[in-house]
Amino acid sequence: MKLHTGKLYWPANTEAVCLKINNNITDNSDVLVVGSGMSGALAAYELSKNGYKVTLIEQNRIASGSTSANTGLIQYMSDQGVKSFAEQIGTQKAVKFYNQSKEAVADLIKIEKQLIELDQETFKKSDSLILATDKKKIKDVKDESTMQKEIGYDVEYLNEKELEELNINAYGALKCSPDINLNPYAFVLRLLKTASEKYKLDIVESVRFIEARKENGENIVSLEIAGEKLEKSYKKIVIATGYNPPVQFQKSLKNIEIYKTYVAVSQVIRISDREDYLTWEVKDAYTYFKKTFDSRLMIGGFDEKGDKLKEKDAIKYEKDLIKGANLMFVDKKDMISEYNYAALFGISKDNLPYMGVDPDNKDIFVVCGVGGNGTVYSKIASTMISKWINGESLDDYETYRLAR
């Protein structure tokens, strides 16, 4: 599955990170992690840091899938607010889900401080604005603000006049924090470099996962590297291949629909500190934006159903994205786009991620962080994986189970 098309911003604007890539798969690992995106990198980092011998394999190049197209607005809020989730799955489960998401953001902030540093800025704590750009959405945003306050979150409702002072054009907004402005491509490279150099993580590229099976109580994994098929045995296996899972796990991920999303990144422009928020609107076919670390506006949105990308998709909504972002500013920006791309992402029918133990093999954990909050879900998953491998209960995470 082709996951993106067009001119990607992060790989072209991230300083080179030298990773130790092995040519062969060693025989001394306890855990195999399949996939080098955010989910795989976080799992591999935490497991190797905790003393496990881990091998991470990637079919293509490291972080070359969805991670390189991720816009990096890391927010504890999902596309669906806690109030909406409470109506869908019950208040207790909805609040637990949101609490786990907030904890994941806090954990990412802690992890970042443990990683090898780069010369450029790639990570910043930030506030978010969730905008009512349509009068009909004012009540929804106010109700969400009220519920988040009731469950103890430090949020604030801003009215139209208060938003004007931030150069934001909307009828109202939920202001929340802490969230993260992230270069996700750099973050994955930093995770893997730190795990490799400090905790002896083995990283191998150009390895295709074929299948895993139980044989005489052992987990036998069939792989292909450089055209040669081989079999290895592992105590535990983590499948973190995103929206394109191996065939044997697809039956547990049936209720996923694939969508296209579109991104434009402006030239370097002046974006003041008062405008520096992670911003998205509560609206069907919404637009969202953030300031990049080199002062561009990264704009995304216009999501639509579809699982195949064409080259022309990269610029399909180029002008609409610029226009949509400018509609949310009082004083408009003189912008052109210098980077345009389209990417695929998945959405589950209940808007929750799939993360849990494989129903057919308790030694396999599958991560599919579908939805617009994939990095947060990846961190929740790595917490679950640590508990799972230590034999701890996952009852608190039952909402994300596979094959639901």
Side-chain angles (χ1 to χ4, degrees), residues 271-301:
I271 304 171
S272 66
D273 289 343
R274 68 174 179 142
E275 302 167 318
D276 190 7
Y277 288 90
L278 308 180
T279 305
W280 60 274
E281 57 182 341
V282 180
K283 186 179 180 181
D284 293 333
Y286 60 80
T287 304
Y288 58 89
F289 62 81
K290 74 169 191 178
K291 177 184 177 180
T292 63
F293 299 102
D294 60 349
S295 197
R296 302 169 187 265
L297 206 66
M298 176 173 273
I299 312 161

Side-chain angles (χ1 to χ4, degrees), residues 156-173:
E156 182 181 1
Y157 180 81
L158 303 181
N159 61 34
E160 187 173 1
K161 186 175 181 180
E162 290 170 316
L163 288 169
E164 283 181 10
E165 294 175 1
L166 304 176
N167 195 33
I168 296 295
N169 178 34
Y171 295 103

Side-chain angles (χ1 to χ4, degrees), residues 115 310 365 400:
L115 303 182
K310 300 176 182 177
F365 194 102
Y400 318 131

Side-chain angles (χ1 to χ4, degrees), residues 192-380:
L192 296 180
K193 185 174 180 64
T194 305
S196 174
E197 294 185 1
K198 290 188 175 182
Y199 309 121
K200 300 180 180 179
L201 170 69
D202 284 331
I203 305 171
V204 192
E205 285 183 331
S206 303
V207 182
R208 185 171 73 90
F209 175 93
I210 301 172
E211 68 170 0
R213 67 183 188 278
K214 275 282 188 184
E215 196 171 283
N216 298 322
E218 282 192 275
N219 296 305
I220 305 300
V221 179
S222 297
L223 304 168
E224 183 179 352
I225 181 168
E228 179 184 345
K229 292 185 179 180
L230 65 156
E231 292 189 338
K232 297 287 183 181
S233 175
Y234 297 93
K235 293 177 182 177
K236 300 288 184 180
I237 303 160
V238 176
I239 303 296
T241 52
Y243 313 127
N244 193 22
V247 173
Q248 77 179 91
F249 305 109
Q250 291 177 6
K251 64 181 183 296
S252 295
L253 304 169
K254 284 183 178 179
N255 293 318
I256 293 175
E257 297 177 328
I258 302 299
Y259 280 72
K260 299 179 185 181
T261 191
Y262 303 88
V263 178
V265 184
S266 76
Q267 81 278 35
V268 174
I269 59 174
R270 185 180 179 278
I271 304 171
S272 66
D273 289 343
R274 68 174 179 142
E275 302 167 318
D276 190 7
Y277 288 90
L278 308 180
T279 305
W280 60 274
E281 57 182 341
V282 180
K283 186 179 180 181
D284 293 333
Y286 60 80
T287 304
Y288 58 89
F289 62 81
K290 74 169 191 178
K291 177 184 177 180
T292 63
F293 299 102
D294 60 349
S295 197
R296 302 169 187 265
L297 206 66
M298 176 173 273
I299 312 161
F302 287 88
D303 303 345
E304 57 188 3
K305 200 169 181 180
D307 61 1
K308 291 181 175 60
L309 290 171
K310 300 176 182 177
E311 284 188 20
K312 63 182 181 182
D313 284 336
I315 58 171
K316 183 176 181 180
Y317 291 110
E318 174 185 5
K319 293 180 179 178
D320 297 292
L321 288 164
I322 296 289
K323 180 180 178 181
N326 249 332
L327 287 172
M328 288 185 271
F329 287 112
V330 176
D331 297 325
K332 309 306 181 187
K333 306 289 184 185
D334 184 13
M335 290 186 289
I336 59 170
S337 59
E338 291 191 347
Y339 296 84
N340 296 282
Y341 60 89
L344 298 182
F345 73 103
I347 296 179
S348 64
K349 291 186 178 179
D350 60 6
N351 291 303
L352 291 164
Y354 282 94
M355 307 184 294
V357 179
D358 178 29
D360 297 328
N361 187 338
K362 66 179 182 177
D363 293 329
I364 299 176
F365 194 102
V366 180
V367 184
C368 190
V370 288
N373 220 7
T375 301
V376 171
Y377 301 155
S378 294
K379 180 62 202 73
I380 296 174

